[in-house]
Amino acid sequence: MTDPPAALREGHHADVSGGRLRPAVFGAMDGLVTNIALIAGVGGGGVSANSIVLTGTAGLVAGAISMALGEYTSVRSANEQVAAEVAKERRELERHPQAEARELAEVWVGRGLPRNLAMEVAETLARRPEEALRVHVREELGVDPDDQPSPWTAAISSFLFFSVGALMPLLPYLLGFTNLWLALAVGGVGLFVAGAVVARFTGRSWLISGLRQLLLGAAAAAATYLVGTLIGVQGGL
């Protein structure tokens, strides 16, 4: 009986590299928390519905652009750092192949492989420079040089998901409602759903994950609402 395909076997791992999931999740969460807190703050200050829409829209656009630029820069810089280390390892392999082979063998020995076997495998691998480079980089740096996340994917994902998250608490106002608490409630639902969706990838309880995100967002909204109320009272708004 042949084994089933890897994708169908129990225990097959999800992609945890972070190139797609991380910016999407953080983008949506940041969008929700940022605009919920922003709307709570200005709403607590007693401003008009039009002012809340203006503030929330500005927060959405500014935040989405900031998230996209931040993710692009972060991922691009990380990739450049990996590329520099790979180039350094390539030079070391060209100049000192035997020393590098011994270094790799020592890593495997430390993991329980017999020394003779570890040295034999390392020396055999050294005859294939490109494969040797990939293995050395994985073992010494803990990264796969051929599977680095795309900065453009991270940037676009962050922009889109932040925008979706930030739009949630604005929806009631855009639909003609003017109740601050309705907007915050819609945002709270978005936070809970986002947390529950994250649990799909982490294996955690969807209820606990959703409630955790809801409580964190509520704490941020409460803090900014209090600040907005105090400023509104003192400023006579």
Side-chain angles (χ1 to χ4, degrees):
M1 182 177 179
T2 59
D3 290 336
L8 299 180
R9 293 200 301 269
E10 183 179 358
H12 181 64
H13 298 292
D15 177 15
V16 295
S17 62
R20 298 175 181 85
L21 177 60
R22 185 180 67 87
V25 170
F26 280 98
M29 293 298 184
D30 279 359
L32 281 160
V33 174
T34 297
N35 249 17
I36 288 172
L38 191 59
I39 288 172
V42 295
V47 302
S48 67
N50 286 338
S51 296
I52 291 177
V53 171
L54 176 60
T55 302
T57 302
L60 186 157
V61 175
I65 293 173
S66 176
M67 282 289 294
L69 292 177
E71 282 293 336
Y72 178 87
T73 302
S74 175
V75 175
R76 179 70 179 269
S77 298
N79 287 354
E80 289 173 348
Q81 183 181 21
V82 169
E85 292 298 323
V86 169
K88 178 181 178 181
E89 188 64 30
R90 186 188 297 275
R91 291 192 297 270
E92 291 296 319
L93 285 169
E94 291 171 351
R95 296 171 183 172
H96 312 290
Q98 290 301 317
E100 289 295 311
R102 287 193 297 272
E103 181 180 344
L104 183 60
E106 288 298 325
V107 172
W108 289 336
V109 169
R111 295 179 181 175
L113 203 64
R115 183 174 299 277
N116 290 341
L117 179 58
M119 197 64 210
E120 181 181 351
V121 174
E123 289 177 345
T124 301
L125 187 65
R127 302 189 191 107
R128 301 174 59 190
E130 289 303 314
E131 185 62 29
L133 176 64
R134 281 191 287 271
V135 173
H136 275 268
V137 170
R138 290 193 191 103
E139 294 291 350
E140 296 180 25
L141 302 180
V143 298
D144 187 342
D146 298 325
D147 188 27
Q148 295 302 296
S150 164
W152 285 109
T153 298
I156 293 172
S157 179
S158 293
F159 182 91
L160 292 177
F161 280 89
F162 184 99
S163 298
V164 170
L167 182 63
M168 290 290 292
L170 271 177
L171 277 178
Y173 286 100
L174 296 177
L175 293 175
F177 298 95
T178 58
N179 190 301
L180 173 63
W181 300 107
L182 177 61
L184 297 181
V186 171
V189 171
L191 279 171
F192 181 86
V193 171
V197 170
V198 170
R200 168 67 179 80
F201 299 96
T202 62
R204 304 280 184 174
S205 165
W206 65 269
L207 180 60
I208 293 177
S209 182
L211 288 175
R212 178 179 62 188
Q213 296 304 326
L214 177 59
L215 289 174
L216 291 173
T224 54
Y225 180 85
L226 178 60
V227 171
T229 301
L230 291 174
I231 294 176
V233 170
Q234 293 177 4
L237 295 179

